[in-house]
């Protein structure tokens, strides 16, 4: 009886909304509030699964995460102001490692620099041909004790920066820094790594990768499918989804 009454109430409300402009507005506000409530609940559920950060999930949690990520997906591109700030990594999706593509494979199938060497050598072989993360990313995001932070500062010119701070233990960290260009039409951040070093007790030790000699191999991008005051979900050019919490 209660269920039938609820259905009848919704039908009456809908009928009134079709007749009265005021009801139409009220219905729109109700739909907006309902959608917002669903989004907030999905965000809370996601954060309850990931806590302060996870490197792996159970099969059940992975299934729940997939549903929540789809529920949180936004149609409108992210804005510059929403993306900027300091973020802590909570979780990254994992890709299947392909020994014939050890440096990872890009979504668009391009293989610049050294990546092209493996692509050429194993062309036509039994490769997975699926996007996959780099070995460095794979290693750093698989250790529970490592904390990873990302600081984003953007502008309409090429003076923006995206910094990754990998904190191993107190006073020992790795900084991977990139110039960044924001596209307001798509919400995409195009970046190029150009600086990296280890910070050991305040002393800088150069990172042994000559980014300036890598050309397009040092370039990548980030698309953001969801961002709020608390949470950001972005996907990279090698197919990884990153879930971050604002600090």
């Amino acid at each position: 009886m209660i269920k039938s009454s609820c259905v009848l109430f919704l039908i009456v409300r809908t009928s009134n909304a079709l007749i009265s402009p005021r009801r139409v507005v009220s219905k729109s506000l109700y739909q907006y509030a309902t959608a917002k409530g669903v989004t907030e609940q999905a965000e809370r559920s996601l954060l309850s699964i990931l806590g302060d950060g996870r490197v792996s999930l159970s099969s059940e949690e992975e299934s729940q995460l997939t549903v929540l990520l789809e529920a949180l997906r936004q149609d409108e591109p992210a804005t510059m102001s929403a993306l900027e700030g300091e973020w802590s990594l909570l979780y990254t999706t994992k890709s299947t490692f392909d020994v014939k593509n050890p440096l990872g494979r890009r979504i668009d199938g391009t293989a610049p620099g050294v990546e092209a060497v493996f692509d050429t050598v194993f062309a036509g072989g039994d490769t997975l041909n699926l996007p996959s993360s780099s070995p460095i990313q794979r290693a750093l995001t698989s250790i529970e004790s490592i904390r990873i932070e990302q600081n984003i500062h953007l502008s309409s010119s090429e003076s923006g920066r995206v910094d990754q701070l990998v904190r191993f233990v107190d006073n020992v960290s790795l900084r991977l820094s990139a110039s960044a260009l924001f596209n307001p039409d798509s919400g995409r951040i195009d970046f190029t790594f150009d600086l990296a070093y280890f910070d050991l007790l305040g002393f800088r030790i150069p990172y042994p990768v000559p980014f300036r000699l890598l050309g397009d191999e040092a370039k990548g991008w980030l698309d953001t499918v969801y961002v709020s005051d608390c949470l950001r979900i972005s996907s990279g050019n090698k197919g990884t989804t990153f879930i971050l919490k604002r600090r």
Side-chain angles (χ1 to χ4, degrees):
M1 181 65 184
I2 294 176
K3 184 175 181 181
S4 300
S5 300
C6 291
V7 173
L8 179 60
F9 173 74
L10 290 174
I11 293 174
V12 171
R13 288 294 299 273
T14 302
S15 299
N16 289 338
L18 292 174
I19 298 172
S20 167
R22 171 177 286 181
R23 292 296 186 185
V24 171
V25 174
S26 298
K27 182 182 179 184
S28 297
L29 291 174
Y30 171 76
Q31 290 174 331
Y32 169 77
T34 301
K36 185 177 181 182
V38 171
T39 298
E40 291 176 347
Q41 180 57 51
E43 187 174 296
R44 286 194 296 269
S45 298
L46 187 149
L47 290 172
S48 70
I49 293 173
L50 300 182
D52 293 328
R54 303 276 296 275
V55 298
S56 63
L57 300 175
S58 67
S59 297
E60 181 180 352
E61 289 171 328
E62 284 280 8
S63 298
Q64 293 173 352
L65 186 67
T66 298
V67 173
L68 292 171
L69 291 179
E70 188 59 35
L72 289 170
R73 184 176 293 274
Q74 296 170 327
D75 295 327
E76 296 298 318
T79 63
M80 182 187 299
S81 59
L83 295 175
E84 288 189 311
E86 299 178 346
W87 302 87
S88 294
L89 182 67
L90 296 181
Y91 184 72
T92 65
T93 56
K94 305 300 187 291
S95 57
T96 302
F97 178 69
D98 185 354
V99 69
K100 295 180 180 179
N101 291 300
L103 299 182
R105 180 177 287 274
R106 297 168 185 254
I107 288 178
D108 59 9
T110 59
V114 179
E115 295 175 26
V117 175
F118 291 98
D119 205 50
T120 300
V121 171
F122 295 109
D126 184 21
T127 59
L128 295 176
N129 292 322
L130 297 174
S132 57
S133 58
S134 70
I136 297 297
Q137 177 184 303
R138 190 186 303 274
L140 293 178
T141 57
S142 298
I143 302 175
E144 196 80 53
S145 61
I146 290 180
R147 293 177 292 123
I148 300 177
E149 301 166 0
Q150 186 178 70
N151 300 333
I152 298 178
H153 303 284
L154 302 172
S155 72
S156 55
S157 65
E158 295 185 8
S159 60
R161 303 294 301 179
V162 175
D163 283 332
Q164 279 69 227
L165 300 174
V166 182
R167 302 190 183 279
F168 300 100
V169 294
D170 290 342
N171 299 315
V172 179
S173 62
L174 167 63
R175 178 188 177 191
L176 296 164
S177 184
S179 61
L181 180 62
F182 177 71
N183 184 330
D185 294 328
S186 64
R188 172 173 289 187
I189 300 174
D190 290 293
F191 61 84
T192 303
F193 285 109
D194 56 14
L195 174 67
Y197 59 83
F198 292 94
D199 188 324
L200 179 60
L201 302 175
F203 294 95
R204 289 190 180 185
I205 301 174
Y207 185 69
V209 175
F211 289 124
R212 297 186 185 279
L213 301 179
L214 295 180
D216 289 345
E217 197 174 352
K219 296 180 179 181
W221 48 257
L222 279 176
D223 285 337
T224 296
V225 299
Y226 176 79
V227 62
S228 69
D229 292 337
C230 176
L231 192 71
R232 175 164 62 88
I233 303 170
S234 298
S235 59
N237 56 290
K238 290 192 174 181
T240 303
T241 296
F242 304 91
I243 303 175
L244 305 98
K245 184 177 181 180
R246 195 182 295 275
R247 301 203 329 266

